[in-house]
Amino acid sequence: MHFYRHLSLSKLFDGVTDIFFGSMIDKTKSRMGKARPWMLYGYVGCAVTLIGVFAIPESMGQTAQYAWFFIAYSLLNAVFYTANNIAYFALTALITKNSRKRVEMGSYRFIFAFSTSLLIQSVTIKFVEGRASGWRMVAIIYAVIGLVVNTLSVLSVKELPEEELNNDVSSTVDEKYSLIEAAKLLFSNKYYIMICVTYILQQIYSAMLSMGIYYMMYVLNDEDLFPIFSWAINIPLIIALLITPWLVAKWQGLYKLNLVGYAVGTIGRALVVVAAYMGSVPLMLVFTAVAAFGMGPWQGDMNAVIANCSEYTYMTKKKRVDGTMYSCTSLQLQDGFWNLANLIKISMCSWIPV
């Protein structure tokens, strides 16, 4: 129980740091731009603290182990990953003003994200075999791979000049505002409120998916089903992401596509519950795939939706708050870190007193 209280406290801290890092990104001026420095150096911290989470000295007492884990986990999620993740999302608004390209970028980003997630979910449990040393080795491998890929991503793009972002009227843009003023700018934008509500629903959806490993182990008594369900989730998501740019063009916008997608996703998840009560694993797999396919378009075009929302703030308030606007993305714990965090919960139970 103490272990999960620590996780809850860490998540509360994470909620506080979101707007802070978004605001810092908006105020950053460097040769690399606004977001890229935070994306680059933020992941260096991610790599170090990810390894630190799994490198708790066995010679420490129980209280010291809890403290070590809490500090490392909080720094990983609430500081370094938050800075990296918000900067990563904010790049969508900072490297192009073309809505179609923003949708394509979001789709390609999540194709790779869910492919990586599928790989992690499929091999990690078998690779570590419940051993603390196995988890430490996996953490090191993932940290190094992530560091290389993140660095290549940072160096392969270039942010637009501020004059081009501001339609050659940069002198009229007031970038001096406090953290409180930044929050007011966000919550005075009705579209931002809508996005936040959607992200909360998305968080609930992600939480349901993340409980899959527990369901396989303790309800179905077959942890080998977890990789199978991971395929049922991620393959339809990837297919949906591949066709999202085409669907946006065909339906001439994002609204109708997202509305239909969310409806399909909601119905699919409800039918998964029905299939579970029926005791039919095949039907659970089918409806899981349907739900994942329905949720795919939102994953692909949400970068463009938030970028448009940020443009609305600029047009009405004459302030660029791209980084602050993308702080809402931290509500959704996605990619391998979300899955890895849940794997951490399981593994820690076997080698840290709880």
Side-chain angles (χ1 to χ4, degrees):
M1 289 297 295
H2 293 297
F3 173 74
Y4 293 105
R5 289 196 197 103
H6 292 165
L7 292 181
S8 299
L9 288 173
S10 179
K11 290 305 176 187
L12 288 175
F13 179 51
D14 190 12
V16 174
T17 59
D18 295 339
I19 296 179
F20 170 77
F21 281 112
S23 177
M24 293 300 295
I25 290 170
D26 289 329
K27 296 176 182 179
T28 297
K29 291 185 178 181
S30 72
R31 289 181 297 175
M32 293 180 66
K34 292 177 176 293
R36 289 200 301 156
W38 293 93
M39 182 177 168
L40 177 64
Y41 300 119
Y43 198 87
V44 173
C46 282
V48 173
T49 51
L50 176 60
I51 296 173
V53 167
F54 293 93
I56 301 176
E58 297 180 2
S59 59
M60 283 185 170
Q62 179 175 311
T63 301
Q65 287 183 331
Y66 280 138
W68 178 297
F69 174 80
F70 177 75
I71 293 171
Y73 185 82
S74 297
L75 288 174
L76 170 62
N77 285 279
V79 179
F80 297 117
Y81 179 61
T82 293
N84 171 268
N85 189 51
I86 294 175
Y88 191 12
F89 271 95
L91 274 178
T92 303
L94 297 173
I95 65 178
T96 181
K97 299 180 69 176
N98 186 298
S99 183
R100 179 182 61 82
K101 290 183 178 179
R102 286 171 174 173
V103 173
E104 291 179 352
M105 288 167 53
S107 296
Y108 295 146
R109 180 233 202 256
F110 280 103
I111 287 172
F112 284 100
F114 289 120
S115 297
T116 303
S117 175
L118 178 60
L119 178 62
I120 290 174
Q121 293 169 344
S122 299
V123 305
T124 302
I125 294 292
K126 292 294 184 182
F127 184 80
V128 301
E129 296 180 345
R131 295 175 291 107
S133 59
W135 284 104
R136 282 193 290 268
M137 182 57 64
V138 163
I140 293 172
I141 293 172
Y142 288 168
V144 172
I145 293 175
L147 187 60
V148 172
V149 173
N150 183 80
T151 302
L152 290 175
S153 298
V154 171
L155 299 179
S156 63
V157 297
K158 184 178 181 180
E159 296 180 25
L160 295 174
E162 290 189 35
E163 293 78 10
E164 185 173 349
L165 286 171
N166 301 329
N167 298 316
D168 297 319
V169 290
S170 59
S171 60
T172 67
V173 180
D174 181 11
E175 294 184 343
K176 297 180 179 180
Y177 54 88
S178 67
L179 192 60
I180 295 177
E181 290 172 329
K184 289 181 179 179
L185 284 171
L186 292 185
F187 291 102
S188 65
N189 187 330
K190 62 182 180 181
Y191 302 108
Y192 178 81
I193 302 298
M194 295 177 186
I195 290 173
C196 283
V197 172
T198 304
Y199 264 105
I200 291 172
L201 295 175
Q202 186 73 20
Q203 174 68 28
I204 295 172
Y205 176 77
S206 299
M208 292 172 64
L209 294 181
S210 72
M211 294 301 294
I213 182 63
Y214 300 100
Y215 191 85
M216 307 306 156
M217 292 177 65
Y218 302 115
V219 178
L220 299 181
N221 297 315
D222 186 359
E223 66 180 36
D224 291 335
L225 285 172
F226 184 63
I228 298 175
F229 272 88
S230 296
W231 280 79
I233 294 169
N234 289 287
I235 295 302
L237 273 172
I238 292 171
I239 294 173
L241 289 166
L242 285 170
I243 66 174
T244 292
W246 174 77
L247 289 174
V248 170
K250 182 177 178 61
W251 288 2
Q252 300 180 341
L254 308 175
Y255 174 76
K256 185 178 179 180
L257 176 59
N258 288 333
L259 183 63
V260 172
Y262 243 94
V264 172
T266 301
I267 294 171
R269 290 308 298 170
L271 291 175
V272 170
V273 176
V274 173
Y277 276 106
M278 293 171 59
S280 175
V281 173
L283 280 179
M284 290 178 65
L285 285 167
V286 170
F287 294 135
T288 293
V290 170
F293 184 81
M295 299 303 295
W298 169 249
Q299 301 284 356
D301 65 33
M302 63 180 173
N303 281 23
V305 171
I306 301 172
N308 292 343
C309 185
S310 182
E311 289 294 329
Y312 176 80
T313 294
Y314 169 69
M315 289 187 294
T316 57
K317 305 294 184 181
K318 292 302 178 184
K319 293 181 183 290
R320 293 222 66 93
V321 290
D322 300 302
T324 311
M325 189 67 66
Y326 276 91
S327 65
C328 67
T329 61
S330 192
L331 291 172
Q332 182 183 22
L333 304 177
Q334 55 201 336
D335 301 335
F337 276 102
W338 172 251
N339 300 302
L340 197 56
N342 286 281
L343 294 175
I344 290 171
K345 296 175 187 177
I346 300 169
S347 64
M348 295 291 285
C349 291
S350 65
W351 57 283
I352 290 185
V354 292

